[in-house]
Amino acid sequence: MTAYGFPMIGAHTGCLNTPYNTVESFMEGIASGADVAEVDVRAAKDGTAILFHDDSPLFREKTYEELNAPEIRARLGPIYETRDVVRLERILDIAAMNRIRLNLDIKSEEAIEPTIRLVRRYELVDRTYITGESGDLTIRHPDIRVLWNAPSSARAERSRYSLYVEQVCRKARTEGYHGLNLHYADCLPELVEQARAQQLKVWVYTVNERRDMENLVAMGVDQITTKAVDELVRLKRERAL
């Protein structure tokens, strides 16, 4: 255990072998004991915020109702042969009845405003974090906690890592971000120390191996996103003994 306590546990969508961006996946994240549950958010033609990772021209051509016609949604992937595309509103309904925090990973600029409107309607601002596409969200909605998705550090070149840390921390601080969201392989103690000194949170993804979890806990990161939620919960319980 670090002096800063155990990081928040983030359930990656599709955790514990559930289908990505489904109600089942979100519910599994809650049941697993995670502190935060992630979903990917895009928008249909009519501005409906929906759960989906990859882009498709169908999102610009079809309203939400049209998208869910069986012959259309099946074109999005095999799981949609038997499932509707999930509206973000459905997930917020569930979140409002549970004490789960939300990581809304916005995948397109078109989804930003529909997402924020729903978060406000459900009065979930205090439990919501935004990652992914953020545009000028920190300016238009300064009360929303947004973590900047930092680019790769090219950390193999150790001589450049300090410059990388300086640049990403400066950008996050000056542009009003809550913190950094980055691939765990790009996270070293130097970055965590500098971010903490500048009052920035450090989130890492997607951490599925026990050894990597232990290293990141020791560094003092603030949140770990994982598909192996059960393993990270187990580590937390062991550290509490």
Side-chain angles (χ1 to χ4, degrees):
M1 187 74 69
T2 71
Y4 299 100
F6 201 89
M8 289 195 297
I9 298 173
H12 193 286
T13 189
C15 65
L16 300 170
N17 298 312
T18 54
Y20 278 53
N21 291 308
T22 58
V23 171
E24 299 100 299
S25 176
F26 190 72
M27 293 298 293
E28 187 64 42
I30 294 173
S32 69
D35 302 297
V36 184
E38 180 216 31
V39 294
D40 300 314
V41 186
R42 289 190 176 273
K45 180 182 178 181
D46 60 353
T48 301
I50 58 175
L51 270 56
F52 213 87
H53 184 278
D54 296 338
D55 193 12
S56 169
L58 292 173
F59 301 144
R60 291 173 288 281
E61 297 168 1
K62 306 293 182 183
T63 66
Y64 176 73
E65 293 302 325
E66 293 168 341
L67 202 59
N68 267 319
E71 68 276 12
I72 300 298
R73 72 179 190 227
R75 291 162 58 185
L76 294 171
I79 72 166
Y80 297 105
E81 293 174 2
T82 56
R83 290 180 175 83
D84 284 351
V85 176
V86 180
R87 292 180 301 159
L88 177 59
E89 191 168 358
R90 173 71 179 116
I91 295 303
L92 300 189
D93 272 328
I94 298 169
M97 296 184 289
N98 294 273
R99 293 305 304 172
I100 190 73
R101 298 177 181 90
L102 298 160
N103 173 5
L104 304 182
D105 188 349
I106 299 179
K107 295 300 184 183
S108 67
E109 188 172 348
E110 295 80 7
I112 294 175
E113 287 302 323
T115 297
I116 300 305
R117 283 196 295 270
L118 285 172
V119 168
R120 293 196 187 283
R121 183 193 306 170
Y122 279 86
E123 299 182 347
L124 289 170
V125 170
D126 63 334
R127 286 198 271 145
T128 296
Y129 301 87
I130 302 295
T131 57
E133 180 68 48
S134 58
D136 61 353
L137 204 162
T138 59
I139 298 172
R140 288 183 288 117
H141 301 281
D143 59 324
I144 300 293
R145 289 174 294 189
V146 186
L147 292 107
W148 180 49
N149 274 34
S152 174
S153 69
R155 60 173 283 191
E157 299 183 45
R158 291 284 299 158
S159 62
R160 297 178 58 192
Y161 190 76
S162 293
L163 178 60
Y164 167 80
V165 170
E166 178 185 345
Q167 290 173 338
V168 297
C169 287
R170 183 192 307 122
K171 176 180 173 67
R173 186 187 71 254
T174 59
E175 296 186 12
Y177 286 94
H178 184 66
L180 302 169
N181 184 46
L182 67 160
H183 190 277
Y184 75 93
D186 292 318
C187 187
L188 295 175
E190 179 182 350
L191 183 144
V192 178
E193 292 166 8
Q194 288 297 318
R196 193 175 299 283
Q198 298 183 49
Q199 299 184 324
L200 296 168
K201 300 297 184 183
V202 178
W203 285 26
V204 290
Y205 64 86
T206 301
V207 188
N208 299 323
E209 299 299 327
R210 170 82 177 217
R211 179 176 297 180
D212 295 323
M213 293 174 181
E214 291 173 341
N215 289 340
L216 290 157
V217 170
M219 280 186 215
V221 301
D222 297 287
Q223 195 258 22
I224 296 174
T225 299
T226 180
K227 295 179 187 176
V229 182
D230 52 347
E231 187 63 38
L232 191 51
V233 168
R234 187 176 303 115
L235 177 59
K236 181 178 181 178
R237 288 173 178 163
E238 290 172 5
R239 295 295 175 91
L241 295 177

